[in-house]
Amino acid sequence: MGVDPGLTRCGVALVESGSGRKVTALDVDVVRTPAAMDLAERLLKIHTAVEHWLDTHRPDVVAVERVFAQRQVSTAMGTAQAAGVVALAAAQRDIPVRFHTPSEVKAAVTGSGRADKAQVTMMITRILGMQTAPKPADAADALALAVCHCWRGPLNDRMEEAAAKAKAAQDRHRARLKAAQEEAAAR
Amino acid sequence: MGVDPGLTRCGVALVESGSGRKVTALDVDVVRTPAAMDLAERLLKIHTAVEHWLDTHRPDVVAVERVFAQRQVSTAMGTAQAAGVVALAAAQRDIPVRFHTPSEVKAAVTGSGRADKAQVTMMITRILGMQTAPKPADAADALALAVCHCWRGPLNDRMEEAAAKAKAAQDRHRARLKAAQEEAAAR
């Protein structure tokens, strides 16, 4: 499941990953909350909608866009909060949550981390073999996030595993070094 | 209930408001989550702890610090997400959530919107007649938020009511003006 978080429009999409790079779109929607609504109520509405998606579809993993404060400062806080309640809903069901940056998503589906919204929409329509382009952009972005995770997920997991192994080896080396130093000092 | 949101340390405090400016501290704590923990798991831990506070104490209102992206960009996103799951927990129980800026909180308890952490801690200890200063700063900040809301809350509500009335009057004026213009154009 891919989620493009936002208070005004939160894109949610479900994609099935097949063999190789085969991906199929199963469902896509945009959860909307009015700007005039109380912030806590907006978060509640998004959380409830995502809970419904999770309970209906039971996805293996939820891929969420990683929000940066540097971009669009005025809306970044609300976007981060929407992403937070989405991640919470997944954690409440023991469903793993993975974050991908906008440039990772763009690179995965278009080949360029600097692709614009139109290019992402065009490519995701083609990749998923959809008859019409998903609208609005938030729907296309949610699909792109899900596809990005299907394609990058295993790579990321392998990279994290390798990093963890390297760290463990370094820790063992440091422990041996410390023991040798202590032994030398004790002589 | 006052909440100073944060992923690493989230201050929570319960204050009872009496007649005039009389305030009494009932409880204060800091919810901690390790930086090495998965983000979704950290949000789940904070949400669960806040749920327990809300269900145990049934506060009338939850006052949360308003997070700005401009300050401490590296931690602002996590802080916003923590604030988001706190607001959600309250909304799930129909408990109103109100936000106060750090300078509003400082001004309410010290008289200056630019007071430092030490001044806030000193004043909140004095205001609440506590034997020892609350620690860490997140605990003091949560108490300060609760006190700020007790003192500012009614004022804020009156200001919001006045602003809503003014806007309604302006909307009526604009509607009359538009009707008059259309009537003139139709002649």
Side-chain angles (χ1 to χ4, degrees), chain B:
Chain B
M1 181 168 152
V3 180
D4 180 29
L7 285 178
T8 306
R9 287 181 305 278
C10 183
V12 281
L14 200 76
V15 162
E16 191 174 44
S17 177
S19 62
R21 284 167 74 87
K22 172 87 184 144
V23 278
T24 315
L26 300 182
D27 203 352
V28 62
D29 199 8
V30 174
V31 181
R32 294 161 199 270
T33 72
M37 200 187 240
D38 191 74
L39 172 61
E41 293 297 323
R42 300 178 86 178
L43 294 171
L44 177 58
K45 196 177 168 192
I46 294 165
H47 184 260
T48 305
V50 169
E51 281 194 309
H52 182 72
W53 267 68
L54 295 171
D55 292 336
T56 307
H57 299 296
R58 300 295 314 169
D60 296 320
V61 57
V62 179
V64 183
E65 186 174 296
R66 190 181 293 280
V67 186
F68 290 104
Q70 290 84 344
R71 303 165 35 127
Q72 292 178 295
V73 167
S74 61
T75 59
M77 294 291 103
T79 307
Q81 290 173 329
V85 300
V86 169
L88 173 73
Q92 286 171 321
R93 284 155 183 79
D94 271 330
I95 299 172
V97 182
R98 296 293 176 267
F99 293 89
H100 297 283
T101 65
S103 56
E104 281 170 355
V105 176
K106 288 173 185 173
V109 299
T110 72
S112 160
R114 294 181 184 183
D116 61 21
K117 284 197 175 292
Q119 286 173 293
V120 171
T121 298
M122 193 194 70
M123 282 305 297
I124 203 70
T125 309
R126 200 180 286 182
I127 289 164
L128 294 166
M130 296 171 92
Q131 296 289 318
T132 52
K135 276 182 189 174
D138 315 80
D141 283 347
L143 286 164
L145 264 150
V147 169
C148 168
H149 186 80
C150 290
W151 289 351
R152 280 186 59 103
L155 170 71
N156 277 0
D157 290 347
R158 278 202 303 277
M159 277 167 64
E160 275 171 26
E161 207 180 305
K165 269 189 192 166
K167 193 180 174 308
Q170 196 181 40
D171 288 350
R172 281 196 303 275
H173 173 73
R174 282 199 185 137
R176 275 200 302 271
L177 196 69
K178 201 181 165 202
Q181 282 169 341
E182 283 169 357
E183 206 186 326
R187 261 181 218 154

Side-chain angles (χ1 to χ4, degrees), chain A residues 114-136:
Chain A
R114 293 182 186 182
D116 62 20
K117 285 198 174 290
Q119 286 172 292
V120 170
T121 297
M122 192 194 71
M123 281 307 295
I124 203 72
T125 309
R126 200 179 287 181
I127 289 164
L128 294 166
M130 297 171 90
Q131 296 290 317
T132 54
K135 276 183 189 173

Side-chain angles (χ1 to χ4, degrees), chain A residues 85-99:
Chain A
V85 301
V86 169
L88 174 73
Q92 286 172 323
R93 285 155 182 80
D94 271 329
I95 299 171
V97 183
R98 296 293 176 264
F99 294 89

Side-chain angles (χ1 to χ4, degrees), chain A residues 57-130:
Chain A
H57 300 297
R58 301 294 313 170
D60 295 320
V61 56
V62 179
V64 183
E65 186 175 296
R66 191 180 293 280
V67 186
F68 291 104
Q70 290 84 344
R71 304 164 36 128
Q72 290 178 296
V73 168
S74 61
T75 59
M77 295 289 105
T79 307
Q81 290 173 329
V85 301
V86 169
L88 174 73
Q92 286 172 323
R93 285 155 182 80
D94 271 329
I95 299 171
V97 183
R98 296 293 176 264
F99 294 89
H100 297 282
T101 65
S103 58
E104 281 171 355
V105 176
K106 288 173 185 173
V109 300
T110 72
S112 160
R114 293 182 186 182
D116 62 20
K117 285 198 174 290
Q119 286 172 292
V120 170
T121 297
M122 192 194 71
M123 281 307 295
I124 203 72
T125 309
R126 200 179 287 181
I127 289 164
L128 294 166
M130 297 171 90

Side-chain angles (χ1 to χ4, degrees), chain A residues 140-175:
Chain A
D141 284 346
L143 286 164
L145 263 150
V147 169
C148 168
H149 184 80
C150 291
W151 289 351
R152 281 187 59 103
L155 170 71
N156 278 0
D157 291 346
R158 277 202 303 277
M159 277 167 64
E160 275 170 28
E161 206 180 307
K165 268 189 193 167
K167 196 183 172 303
Q170 196 180 41
D171 289 349
R172 278 196 305 274
H173 173 72
R174 281 198 186 138

